[in-house]
Amino acid sequence: MPLFGGFLADACLGRFTTVFISSVVYLLGLILLTLSTLVPSLKACDAAVCLEPRKVHELVFFLAIYMISIGTGGHKPSLESFGADQFDENHSEERKKKMSYFNWWNLGLCCGLLLGVTVIVYVQDHLGWGAADIILTAVMALSLAIFVVGRPFYRYHAPSGSPLTPMLQVLVAAFKKRNLPYPSDPAELHEVPRSRVGKGRLLCHTERLKFLDKAAIVEDWENCAEKQNPWTLATVTKVEEMKLVLNLAPIWLATLPFGISVSQTATFFVKQGTMLDRNMGHGLEIPPASIFALSAIGMLVAVAVYEKILVPSLRRATGNERGIKVLQRIGFGMLFSISTMVVSALVERKRLGVVEKDPVKGSLSMSVFWLAPQFIIVGVGDAFTLVGLQEYFYDQVPDSMRSLGIAFYLSVIGAANFISSLLITAIDHVTGRFGRSWFGKDLNSSRLDYFYWLLAGITAANLIVYVFLARRYSYKSVQRSVAVADCCEDGSRGSSMA
């Protein structure tokens, strides 16, 4: 859904409109969800335990869930990119603030996550799902109202049509001209003058994926009508935008193992917490889902330290406005994901050892805070990799695809969750066929530590591939003053300064 929502925002609706419509759909979904819990005729049943829920409850409940999913699909990619659009990249101070924006954005997300897995979970456990749904609906309504109030103060970028059409045009033009020789000078490739670009930006020519450059070769300088047909002649900027999208694919694939490791946080990590002592004394017991708060705390602290301490120091040391390159930041976070899996494997092996010594009591003699290191480490890693991925996919896509760029980031996490499920299914089948499955009826009869060691190995091997790709990666480069070929209005050959 984020891919679809991001496409709509970039192509036709605009980011503000997409955020507004998707937020309304999201709010309506939350209202339906609340009604399905509180309205007597819409409840699952009138008994404490439902043997079979009412059909009307199922209808309203699933309609609410799907509306929330659709709302999320437009809200997530469009809101974050709309926020980043408020900074002017041509202004040095605003450009630096924009680099900090993604850090503060995730700081806000972590605060919301922290409240969600503590306050909301506590309300669910002690007051019921209905009370929690009312709070969530009220918060969403308030946030939508605040967003609309700020409408007169926002900066807007008008949608520029389908971002996929120019890419297809580049491919078609390059294929038609596949037999033409490359020009001796890249300045002979077609580009429009800066005066005709408006608020858009022109990109520098690069040597990578050179076969696409043929789309910008001018065949006939006398025929300026050719210039009006984008299916036969593309600009250097359009060609470079196509290269940017193709360059994203290897990085996207190389970040999937990281996403697989992160996906364990909300699944097996929390499941481990249910097998440990969560009693805090005085009758207070930590809900299993609240253990996730440790990850949010780790990310909060790491983001604040990175933004306020590391970035200023790194800027002075490297001379880079970001402190370090965005792909370096992502790779550094991957080291933490490897550490997370190693620590998780050691803790799980410790828990299984306790179970072996006392099968009756199991691991309830171990405190749930044995899980603190793995949650905190994964939170610190997320501060580098997840925030870096958001910045990378926003910044390195064509300017007309920035909502889709955030959707690409979200698709890493979504695809990684699916791959994680497939991996677990495959391992369960293979290990069960040749002995005892790593995933038994419960965690005490499983070997989750083996699974964590496997993920650590996969992530470490992938990091080597990632470093190779990152070192060869060409970042987006905006033209300052570069001579490029153009068809003159009088039909004569010439060049213009962009």
Side-chain angles (χ1 to χ4, degrees):
M1 292 309 300
L3 290 170
F4 180 67
F7 177 82
L8 286 180
D10 290 335
C12 52
L13 294 180
R15 285 159 199 155
F16 176 86
T17 303
T18 304
V19 173
F20 177 75
I21 293 175
S22 60
S23 297
V24 171
V25 174
Y26 197 120
L27 180 60
L28 292 175
L30 285 173
I31 292 172
L32 276 180
L33 190 65
T34 305
L35 293 177
S36 72
T37 308
L38 297 179
V39 176
S41 60
L42 297 179
K43 285 184 176 181
C45 62
D46 297 323
V49 178
C50 292
L51 298 178
E52 185 177 353
R54 294 187 179 105
K55 293 297 181 183
V56 65
H57 170 80
E58 288 185 343
L59 176 64
V60 174
F61 175 79
F62 282 107
L63 180 60
I65 292 297
Y66 286 124
M67 288 181 71
I68 291 172
S69 298
I70 294 170
T72 301
H75 187 274
K76 275 190 174 182
S78 304
L79 183 60
E80 186 171 358
S81 56
F82 183 68
D85 287 345
Q86 305 311 303
F87 301 90
D88 185 0
E89 289 180 310
N90 295 318
H91 190 280
S92 60
E93 287 302 315
E94 287 201 31
R95 188 167 61 248
K96 288 183 179 179
K97 290 179 180 178
K98 186 173 188 174
M99 294 171 188
S100 299
Y101 162 76
F102 290 96
N103 290 326
W104 294 116
W105 169 272
N106 283 276
L107 202 72
L109 280 182
C110 284
C111 291
L113 175 62
L114 196 59
L115 291 173
V117 298
T118 53
V119 175
I120 300 300
V121 168
Y122 181 86
V123 171
Q124 287 173 350
D125 283 357
H126 294 82
L127 299 179
W129 287 92
D133 289 343
I134 289 175
I135 295 174
L136 294 173
T137 304
V139 168
M140 188 65 195
L142 179 62
S143 68
L144 177 58
I146 293 172
F147 177 72
V148 173
V149 166
R151 185 176 182 179
F153 309 102
Y154 298 139
R155 289 171 173 172
Y156 300 89
H157 291 264
S160 54
S162 172
L164 303 181
T165 302
M167 296 180 197
L168 183 59
Q169 290 171 342
V170 170
L171 292 175
V172 170
F175 179 78
K176 286 181 178 179
K177 300 178 179 180
R178 63 190 182 278
N179 295 323
L180 293 180
Y182 290 104
S184 57
D185 185 358
E188 296 179 17
L189 296 173
H190 171 58
E191 183 62 283
V192 296
R194 180 170 294 280
S195 59
R196 289 168 51 191
V197 175
K199 293 184 179 180
R201 300 191 299 170
L202 299 178
L203 301 183
C204 296
H205 173 263
T206 61
E207 294 297 325
R208 299 287 174 86
L209 302 173
K210 203 170 179 180
F211 65 93
L212 292 174
D213 290 343
K214 293 192 175 184
I217 296 176
V218 181
E219 289 187 271
D220 184 5
W221 287 95
E222 301 297 327
N223 184 11
C224 283
E226 182 85 0
K227 185 172 153 184
Q228 306 301 319
N229 187 356
W231 294 95
T232 56
L233 180 63
T235 64
V236 169
T237 294
K238 294 301 181 186
V239 171
E240 291 302 318
E241 287 180 345
M242 184 65 204
K243 291 180 182 181
L244 285 176
V245 174
L246 293 179
N247 282 333
L248 293 177
I251 301 296
W252 188 90
L253 291 171
T255 55
L256 287 177
F258 166 80
I260 295 172
S261 298
V262 169
S263 68
Q264 311 311 316
T265 311
T267 53
F268 282 132
F269 283 17
V270 175
K271 187 66 175 177
Q272 283 176 282
T274 64
M275 310 298 291
L276 301 174
D277 180 18
R278 293 177 281 114
N279 193 348
M280 298 292 292
H282 306 289
L284 179 62
E285 187 175 73
I286 302 175
S290 295
I291 305 169
F292 201 82
L294 295 171
S295 177
I297 292 171
M299 190 171 182
L300 277 170
V301 174
V303 167
V305 170
Y306 182 84
E307 173 62 28
K308 289 299 183 181
I309 299 176
L310 289 180
V311 170
S313 301
L314 290 170
R315 277 175 178 167
R316 289 192 295 269
T318 64
N320 189 313
E321 283 185 326
R322 300 179 188 274
I324 56 176
K325 295 178 180 179
V326 65
L327 290 180
Q328 291 175 331
R329 178 177 184 174
I330 294 170
F332 191 67
M334 288 181 177
L335 290 173
F336 283 94
S337 67
I338 299 171
S339 303
T340 301
M341 291 298 102
V342 171
V343 171
S344 303
L346 294 174
V347 171
E348 178 62 9
R349 185 66 196 93
K350 168 70 176 176
R351 192 191 69 79
L352 290 175
V354 173
V355 172
E356 289 176 8
K357 292 178 180 178
D358 188 357
V360 177
K361 191 175 181 181
S363 55
L364 291 176
S365 60
M366 285 181 65
S367 170
V368 72
F369 289 105
W370 273 88
L371 300 178
Q374 63 198 63
F375 272 102
I376 292 173
I377 293 172
V378 79
V380 174
D382 288 352
F384 288 91
T385 301
L386 287 185
V387 180
L389 283 171
Q390 293 169 31
E391 191 174 356
Y392 168 76
F393 281 109
Y394 174 86
D395 186 65
Q396 293 301 307
V397 296
D399 292 354
S400 61
M401 291 180 60
R402 283 179 159 170
S403 294
L404 262 176
I406 298 298
F408 290 152
Y409 148 72
L410 295 169
S411 70
V412 170
I413 308 303
N417 275 280
F418 278 111
I419 295 173
S420 176
S421 298
L422 291 173
L423 184 62
I424 291 170
T425 302
I427 292 172
D428 179 44
H429 176 75
V430 172
T431 55
R433 187 174 181 181
F434 295 98
R436 194 180 74 172
S437 173
W438 289 3
F439 307 101
K441 293 181 179 179
D442 54 51
L443 290 191
N444 290 341
S445 61
S446 303
R447 292 312 304 257
L448 207 55
D449 54 331
Y450 291 168
F451 179 60
Y452 289 153
W453 282 118
L454 177 63
L455 289 184
I458 292 173
T459 310
N462 176 76
L463 181 59
I464 298 173
V465 177
Y466 173 82
V467 170
F468 172 79
L469 294 172
R471 288 173 65 89
R472 293 172 54 86
Y473 186 83
S474 297
Y475 289 89
K476 180 197 287 187
S477 179
V478 180
Q479 284 188 11
R480 300 305 176 196
S481 181
V482 181
V484 289
D486 185 31
C487 290
C488 299
E489 291 184 22
D490 60 1
S492 62
R493 183 169 179 168
S495 65
S496 60
M497 296 301 291

